Amino acid sequence: MLDNPPLTNLQTRDIESLLHPYTPIHQLKSTGTVVMGRGKGVYVYDTQGRGYIEGMSGLWCAGLGFGDEEMIEAAIEQMRTLPYYHIFGAKSSEPAIELAEKLKEIAPVPISKVFFTSSGSEANDTQVKLAWYMNNAMGRPNKKKIISRIKAYHGVTVMAASLTGLPSNHNGWDLPVDRVLHTDCPHHYRFGIEGESEAEFTARMAKSLRDLIEREGPDTIAAMIAEPVMGAGGVVIPPKGYYEAIQAVLAEHDIMLIADEVITGFGRTGNWWGSQTLNMRPKTISAAKQLTSAYAPLGAVMVPEDVYQAYVDHSATLGTFAHGFTYGGHPLSCALGVKAIEIYQRRDIIGHVRRLMPVFERRMKKIGEHPLVGEARYCGLVGAAELVADKASKRSFDPRNGVGPKASKLIEENGAILRALGDTIAICPPMIISEAELNELFDRFETGLDQAEAWVSTGALRAA
Ligand SMILES: Cc1ncc(COP(=O)(O)O)c(C=O)c1O
């Protein structure tokens, strides 16, 4: 097989005109892009006619898969009725109202108001601004820092990227900005000390958080933001008891917890919210992605009544609540959000996820036995395989060898799209996937891993 076949016309036009996110753009001229043409169910097809199982739901978002007729109908109907309106300056529209009501109904903690954005990054950016606004309203002008975690992913706007705890989002971008603190990543496999139990590790995480808070001064810290399961940082599932321990420390110091449910919301972990699966009790919540099953862009920030009342007080002092996005509460997106939630409920998508979870678990455990895989981790229908040079010592490959990207390329050549997060291969299939399709996805995953193993062995890439 040719490594780099000649580029098609579309691929050439693509490279001439698009700046691609999260892509080694210096290599694009030789590798080209995969131009997707259409999608149906869990499958997507590129413009050269090749089909793939979309094992990542796009970017962890297309929970209902592709081409759902009910979603399409809802979009057409809303476009005909009111294709755009805003909710600034005391205007509103029915889809925004209805979706806000729905979100209040299904929220994992009491929620009073919903603020709409167009993306997860904007939701998290808004969370920070709202925390500052609230503390100004409450006469606590110094309580402004936000704690995040190493390996967290919260998006790419200036503040969301600062909250993100990944070097590639900071190096070269003049980030993070100040007022952002990063505490430890709760990944026992990678950051546990030799012989340390999960319980001891969790206690160390809590102590480290406490030390950070006491060093900085609790009266300078507004909030901590956390994904229930860390996604882009490698699908990190904290040990049992982690959130209970963390939350006790936060409560002691009057620091509110923000749950970033952008990936974990709407059934992904086997409950409506990752907070429920992981025993988190957040004060406020960010949502996006599966909120509309990615049929249109939408993010949301959900806040309780006491927090909302602080905004009301501050609005009274300042004259208005001066924050909002042109497309926040877009009627098309909100109509699709309402329809997606209705479908999740009517078709019992969460029940379906739960029925598939034992299959997912069995297949992930088998992936964990593969010679390339150091740890296979999973929660609901999201998981990852961390590829290592040496299983016993957990030694990683030299990142310059690009073992993860090579493995995901080989998996793709077998007709399955998964995502390399460095040398960790993530899997997050559409929640509507059937058992047979899920098994087929794992078969292709395994074949790709076998080929990656052969490539690693041939190239002697395990050398220390
Ligand atoms: C947990 C989490 N938060 C926030 C974001 C940012 O969302 P967006 O890309 O819609 O800005 C993402 C995106 O992957 C995410 O995974």
Side-chain angles (χ1 to χ4, degrees):
M1 188 187 315
L2 276 175
D3 235 354
N4 295 318
L7 300 185
T8 64
N9 179 34
L10 262 179
Q11 284 175 316
T12 306
R13 283 167 53 202
D14 175 306
I15 291 165
E16 294 300 325
S17 55
L18 277 175
L19 174 56
H20 280 273
Y22 282 106
T23 300
I25 52 175
H26 58 290
Q27 293 169 359
L28 262 190
K29 272 210 154 71
S30 55
T31 59
T33 52
V34 177
V35 184
M36 259 348 143
R38 65 194 175 88
K40 190 72 197 164
V42 299
Y43 288 89
V44 287
Y45 301 87
D46 68 24
T47 48
Q48 292 173 278
R50 281 182 297 249
Y52 310 81
I53 302 181
E54 224 316 339
M56 278 302 293
S57 306
L59 293 173
W60 334 74
C61 50
L64 292 173
F66 301 84
D68 186 289
E69 289 301 329
E70 284 192 81
M71 293 292 282
I72 294 165
E73 283 307 315
I76 293 170
E77 197 183 315
Q78 188 56 49
M79 290 304 269
R80 286 217 173 93
T81 317
L82 184 68
Y84 171 71
Y85 213 70
H86 62 86
I87 59 174
F88 281 34
K91 303 286 190 305
S92 199
S93 70
E94 195 171 341
I97 298 167
E98 213 183 319
L99 183 57
E101 286 174 349
K102 273 270 175 207
L103 287 170
K104 285 179 64 171
E105 218 176 277
I106 62 172
V109 290
I111 290 299
S112 171
K113 301 290 179 284
V114 179
F115 180 88
F116 287 117
T117 68
S118 308
S119 70
S121 299
E122 287 178 1
N124 289 331
D125 234 273
T126 293
Q127 289 276 14
V128 174
K129 285 185 69 180
L130 290 179
W132 292 347
Y133 194 76
M134 177 187 81
N135 280 340
N136 287 333
M138 293 171 75
R140 312 193 293 192
N142 294 323
K143 204 168 167 61
K144 296 290 168 56
K145 294 175 195 162
I146 313 286
I147 301 175
S148 181
R149 296 177 296 182
I150 292 164
K151 284 187 175 277
Y153 190 83
H154 299 295
V156 293
T157 54
V158 170
M159 184 45 82
S162 295
L163 297 174
T164 289
L166 298 168
S168 58
N169 291 96
H170 294 166
N171 298 341
W173 299 100
D174 290 8
L175 297 174
V177 293
D178 61 8
R179 293 184 170 182
V180 173
L181 307 167
H182 286 97
T183 190
D184 301 284
C185 172
H187 189 191
H188 181 256
Y189 171 82
R190 191 41 73 198
F191 299 116
I193 298 165
E194 182 78 37
E196 189 179 39
S197 71
E198 286 200 347
E200 288 161 348
F201 174 74
T202 294
R204 179 159 65 82
M205 297 290 100
K207 178 175 184 312
S208 165
L209 176 65
R210 180 188 299 281
D211 291 348
L212 174 71
I213 292 169
E214 285 172 3
R215 210 165 46 241
E216 295 285 332
D219 51 347
T220 70
I221 304 171
M224 175 167 173
I225 185 164
E227 304 151 82
V229 171
M230 297 169 102
V235 187
V236 173
I237 300 133
K240 267 202 178 62
Y242 168 80
Y243 284 111
E244 288 89 330
I246 292 294
Q247 283 167 155
V249 175
L250 296 178
E252 235 180 87
H253 296 99
D254 191 19
I255 295 170
M256 72 176 183
L257 179 62
I258 301 168
D260 180 346
E261 293 264 13
V262 166
I263 287 180
T264 48
F266 308 96
R268 175 57 61 190
T269 66
N271 288 296
W272 273 104
W273 304 95
S275 294
Q276 292 159 330
T277 306
L278 278 291
N279 275 336
M280 264 173 108
R281 262 201 85 76
K283 186 84 176 167
T284 68
I285 295 167
S286 296
K289 296 193 189 265
Q290 295 196 139
L291 171 55
T292 60
S293 191
Y295 277 63
L298 188 65
V301 172
M302 299 149 71
V303 302
E305 179 61 21
D306 58 334
V307 169
Y308 171 69
Q309 274 310 322
Y311 311 156
V312 174
D313 294 346
H314 217 36
S315 167
T317 309
L318 299 175
T320 190
F321 175 75
H323 181 67
F325 302 98
T326 296
Y327 305 118
H330 195 293
L332 173 67
S333 304
C334 289
L336 286 168
V338 170
K339 182 53 76 177
I341 293 174
E342 187 210 314
I343 292 174
Y344 296 148
Q345 288 175 323
R346 178 163 36 83
R347 294 192 205 153
D348 188 22
I349 297 294
I350 296 174
H352 179 68
V353 166
R354 287 185 178 186
R355 283 185 288 279
L356 285 182
M357 278 164 52
V359 181
F360 196 80
E361 176 170 17
R362 181 169 52 75
R363 296 299 304 248
M364 282 304 298
K365 279 191 168 148
K366 184 149 172 261
I367 292 277
E369 290 163 14
H370 193 277
L372 263 187
V373 177
E375 186 189 47
R377 35 189 190 265
Y378 47 87
C379 176
L381 285 194
V382 57
E386 184 165 333
L387 311 185
V388 291
D390 182 46
K391 271 172 104 91
S393 68
K394 306 181 185 175
R395 182 167 53 83
S396 302
F397 286 104
D398 182 334
R400 286 168 303 185
N401 289 330
V403 174
K406 177 71 178 180
S408 79
K409 181 90 183 10
L410 290 166
I411 293 163
E412 195 171 296
E413 285 173 7
N414 284 284
I417 295 181
L418 300 181
R419 177 134 176 246
L421 307 163
D423 283 347
T424 294
I425 309 293
I427 178 167
C428 182
M431 298 188 295
I432 50 140
I433 196 164
S434 70
E435 184 172 339
E437 288 165 339
L438 187 60
N439 277 314
E440 181 60 35
L441 172 61
F442 272 103
D443 290 348
R444 296 178 189 191
F445 188 178
E446 283 172 7
T447 307
L449 280 184
D450 288 345
Q451 291 167 347
E453 167 62 22
W455 177 76
V456 162
S457 301
T458 311
L461 299 183
R462 284 205 160 81

